[in-house]
Amino acid sequence: MEKQTFSQFLLDEQRLRGIHDDEFVLLLNDIATACKSISRAVCKGALNGVMGSLECENIQGETQKQLDVITNDIFIGVNQVAGYYAGMASEEMDAPYEIPVNLRKSGKYLLLFDPLDGSSNVNVNISVGTIFSILRCPEGVENPKIKDYLQAGITQVCSGYALYGSSTMLVITTGFGVNGFTLDNDVGEFYLTHLNMRVPEDTHEFAINMSNQKSWEAPVKNYIEDCLKGTDGPRGKQFNMRWVASMVAEVHRILIRGGIFMYPVDSKLKDKGGKLRLMYEANPMSFIVEQAGGLSSSGRQRIVNIKPSALHQRVPVIMGSKNEVEKMCSYY
Ligand code: FDP
């Protein structure tokens, strides 16, 4: 059977299931185009001479890489042209980006994104990714302000990520399951390769930065301690550990073979609320993981139910295989 391109898949969904209007299909195609363009920029590696850090920091106080800024510009540039968005917000920009007046057309949606997640890995050639989330712009708002973006994750109309790994993949959900597409570089097209992705319910693999162990809260310490006791401990099984230090790669692994990914709040992060950003990382990835049958929690509540209080808000994140996330949260 012939492989289906990303556009053909979306049109089929529109025809057969009555989801997505024409505008939404075109909007998703623009997201795919932006990801292809970022994939090229990342794959050029040191050849482009842009692997270094800049002098400046982003709003999070992290040193920006040259590629953080380049990929941010690509994502805005490609996605603003057709006029579907009323505004955009990026992890790399202090304030929301205002779409130029001549490009504001239907402006039904808001786009939130992290253009290059895991970018501290980029100069060591480890997988990085782009994460995005699409919200509806509140009715009647032409020039959205921060408050218009502060919607709980449950209201997302679409989210996804592109993974720039040994192959480039685009994984999305519009609330009807999760599907994955692999970029054929010879053709320049994403093809459907992972239909209806499901996170296995059970796992014996956890991902956490163990170097923070002494600063974790008691529930996290106790949970990991029990996992490490292996077959002799209360869990009665041997666990394996993975830590790529690149959230997109971590979540993708979990979608393929299960696992639990955790970036809990610890005593060093207490003032910030956590490490990962609610609007650019936690919400879009939670939508994906839940749509694939997994769970995503802050430990105390479902992440997509958190009412955001700031655009760059950070939260603790525990996501992955359903039974393992439930087990972990029971330690709270
Ligand atoms: P990065 O800072 O490189 O962008 O988004 C934050 C993130 O990467 C995640 O992708 C990754 O899971 C995590 O930080 C890595 O944290 P550590 O540096 O603590 O390992």
Side-chain angles (χ1 to χ4, degrees):
M1 206 174 98
E2 283 302 309
K3 288 179 295 177
Q4 214 176 15
T5 64
F6 183 58
S7 318
Q8 287 161 352
F9 173 81
L10 295 174
L11 288 171
D12 252 18
E13 279 209 312
Q14 192 185 30
R15 221 176 12 235
L16 302 175
R17 304 174 70 177
I19 50 179
H20 319 316
D21 57 17
D22 291 351
E23 186 176 278
F24 203 68
V25 169
L26 294 168
L27 166 155
L28 289 174
N29 267 300
D30 284 352
I31 296 265
T33 303
C35 294
K36 286 181 209 169
S37 188
I38 293 178
S39 176
R40 293 309 297 158
V42 170
C43 288
K44 281 253 162 86
L47 293 173
N48 264 358
V50 290
M51 302 304 277
S53 299
L54 296 169
E55 300 282 284
C56 48
E57 290 184 344
N58 64 13
I59 179 92
Q60 334 281 336
E62 298 157 341
T63 307
Q64 279 183 310
K65 299 268 180 194
Q66 284 167 288
L67 270 174
D68 283 324
V69 175
I70 292 170
T71 54
N72 194 62
D73 290 350
I74 293 175
F75 214 70
I76 291 176
V78 174
N79 286 304
Q80 72 175 348
V81 176
Y84 308 128
Y85 300 103
M88 299 182 189
S90 160
E91 186 187 301
E92 298 302 331
M93 298 185 297
D94 301 5
Y97 173 77
E98 286 190 21
I99 311 274
V101 177
N102 62 320
L103 294 179
R104 276 188 225 156
K105 291 174 194 150
S106 76
K108 266 197 254 173
Y109 302 101
L110 301 173
L111 178 61
L112 296 96
F113 61 95
D114 177 358
L116 201 61
D117 184 67
S119 64
S120 55
N121 290 310
V122 80
N123 59 345
V124 289
N125 215 347
I126 284 175
S127 302
V128 290
T130 300
I131 309 174
F132 64 90
S133 161
I134 300 174
L135 298 170
R136 258 178 230 292
C137 183
E139 203 73 29
V141 173
E142 275 179 24
N143 192 11
K145 303 285 175 259
I146 289 178
K147 68 173 176 31
D148 299 308
Y149 289 83
L150 301 183
Q151 304 178 31
I154 195 94
T155 65
Q156 292 171 102
V157 290
C158 172
S159 82
Y161 62 82
L163 171 65
Y164 314 114
S166 47
S167 57
T168 292
M169 281 198 69
L170 180 63
V171 174
I172 70 155
T173 184
T174 56
F176 297 90
V178 178
N179 294 289
F181 304 82
T182 304
L183 181 63
D184 183 337
N185 279 311
D186 296 337
V187 186
E189 276 290 353
F190 280 107
Y191 287 97
L192 178 65
T193 46
H194 295 64
L195 179 67
N196 193 19
M197 299 174 86
R198 303 295 298 167
V199 179
E201 290 191 354
D202 291 297
T203 184
H204 57 268
E205 199 160 68
F206 64 82
I208 192 164
N209 185 340
M210 287 291 292
S211 69
N212 297 324
Q213 190 170 20
K214 71 171 185 341
S215 319
W216 292 336
E217 301 177 309
V220 182
K221 273 189 186 156
N222 296 338
Y223 166 76
I224 294 291
E225 225 171 77
D226 285 351
C227 291
L228 294 176
K229 285 181 189 149
T231 44
D232 301 334
R235 301 302 310 279
K237 58 179 175 181
Q238 186 61 39
F239 275 79
N240 186 31
M241 196 200 94
R242 285 286 178 273
W243 188 248
V244 186
S246 179
M247 188 188 190
V248 180
E250 232 75 79
V251 170
H252 189 68
R253 186 187 60 248
I254 287 171
L255 277 170
I256 301 285
R257 70 177 193 210
I260 182 167
F261 167 82
M262 306 172 65
Y263 215 117
V265 68
D266 61 37
S267 53
K268 293 183 277 111
L269 295 169
K270 215 157 188 96
D271 295 346
K272 293 180 172 169
K275 159 111 184 179
L276 302 174
R277 294 73 172 177
L278 176 62
M279 309 297 286
Y280 314 110
E281 295 169 316
N283 270 341
M285 289 309 208
S286 299
F287 192 18
I288 290 267
V289 166
E290 289 191 351
Q291 278 293 313
L295 290 183
S296 178
S297 169
S298 68
R300 295 181 167 90
Q301 72 179 122
R302 202 175 151 205
I303 284 183
V304 292
N305 282 341
I306 298 175
K307 172 79 184 103
S309 53
L311 201 51
H312 296 282
Q313 182 175 347
R314 298 177 189 242
V315 288
V317 172
I318 298 158
M319 59 170 65
S321 293
K322 178 176 173 293
N323 294 336
E324 199 57 34
V325 173
E326 268 171 3
K327 181 80 195 169
M328 198 285 129
C329 293
S330 72
Y331 283 71
Y332 278 86

